[in-house]
Amino acid sequence: MKDIKKRQRGYRNLRKALCVGYANKLAERMVQHNGYRTIGFKPQLVQVHPSSTLKTDEDGMFPNYIVYHELIATSRPFMRNVCAVEMAWVSPILKKLEKLDIDKLSGGSGRSIREESEKKVTSLPKKEEAVAGVPDDRESRIQAARDRFLARKGKK
């Protein structure tokens, strides 16, 4: 009996270590169905792969949180090699993920990508200045394209 409890505790510790170590591979069960939403930078809806041995509870539902090893895209995205994790293990990770700045983590300046793109857009020259001499109306652009095509065709 002691050996079984010791083994169960060992598996529980292993699942906890997987939860912490693979925090970027966490998924949360959707409320209305057995599908999951990956947690992280780009969340997506996924299903548990049919070959998975993940067990359902008494109501036929999968666990609320799982860790997966890989995503497979067939007709639908599936998670393979999954194991259940407990909410108590996931809560501290979610709190850290809320505060995490992906840009800073990847060696960026710490400013958001949106701020930098807005700054670049405001520093760009006006459209009229950048494309001087090119007609704006549709018909003249079409005619200019025809002229270029005919000029190339005539050279051959």
Side-chain angles (χ1 to χ4, degrees):
M1 198 65 167
K2 286 183 180 181
D3 194 35
I4 293 172
K5 286 185 180 182
K6 186 177 179 182
R7 224 178 302 149
Q8 286 177 344
R9 195 175 18 200
Y11 281 120
R12 187 172 188 273
N13 290 340
L14 178 61
R15 289 187 302 118
K16 186 175 182 179
L18 287 172
C19 177
V20 173
Y22 288 100
N24 62 330
K25 304 274 187 155
L26 285 170
E28 177 181 24
R29 186 170 57 86
M30 302 301 292
V31 178
Q32 300 297 326
H33 55 80
N34 271 341
Y36 282 83
R37 180 181 56 87
T38 61
I39 298 173
F41 184 59
K42 292 185 180 179
Q44 62 179 321
L45 296 176
V46 293
Q47 298 288 322
V48 175
H49 195 271
S51 68
S52 171
T53 58
L54 189 65
K55 291 187 169 74
T56 58
D57 61 8
E58 300 83 32
D59 300 326
M61 300 297 279
F62 284 126
N64 286 335
Y65 289 95
I66 61 172
V67 172
Y68 61 92
H69 182 262
E70 63 182 338
L71 288 177
I72 299 172
T74 58
S75 59
R76 297 184 306 208
F78 286 105
M79 297 177 291
R80 249 191 353 194
N81 304 330
V82 298
C83 74
V85 293
E86 296 177 17
M87 179 63 183
W89 306 335
V90 175
S91 295
I93 295 170
L94 293 179
K95 288 177 186 173
K96 287 181 182 179
L97 285 175
E98 288 174 0
K99 298 176 187 175
L100 186 67
D101 184 1
I102 298 294
D103 189 46
K104 235 182 207 180
L105 184 65
S106 62
S109 63
R111 292 187 306 194
S112 72
I113 295 171
R114 180 175 289 146
E115 289 174 8
E116 290 184 17
S117 64
E118 286 174 359
K119 184 177 178 182
K120 287 178 185 175
V121 168
T122 57
S123 66
L124 289 175
K126 300 281 187 220
K127 184 177 181 181
E128 295 82 27
E129 297 169 1
V131 192
V134 177
D136 276 343
D137 61 25
R138 187 171 190 269
E139 291 300 319
S140 58
R141 288 187 299 188
I142 292 172
Q143 186 59 43
R146 281 187 188 134
D147 293 340
R148 288 191 306 272
F149 173 76
L150 292 174
R152 282 194 315 266
K153 192 89 166 160
K155 290 180 181 179
K156 290 184 179 181

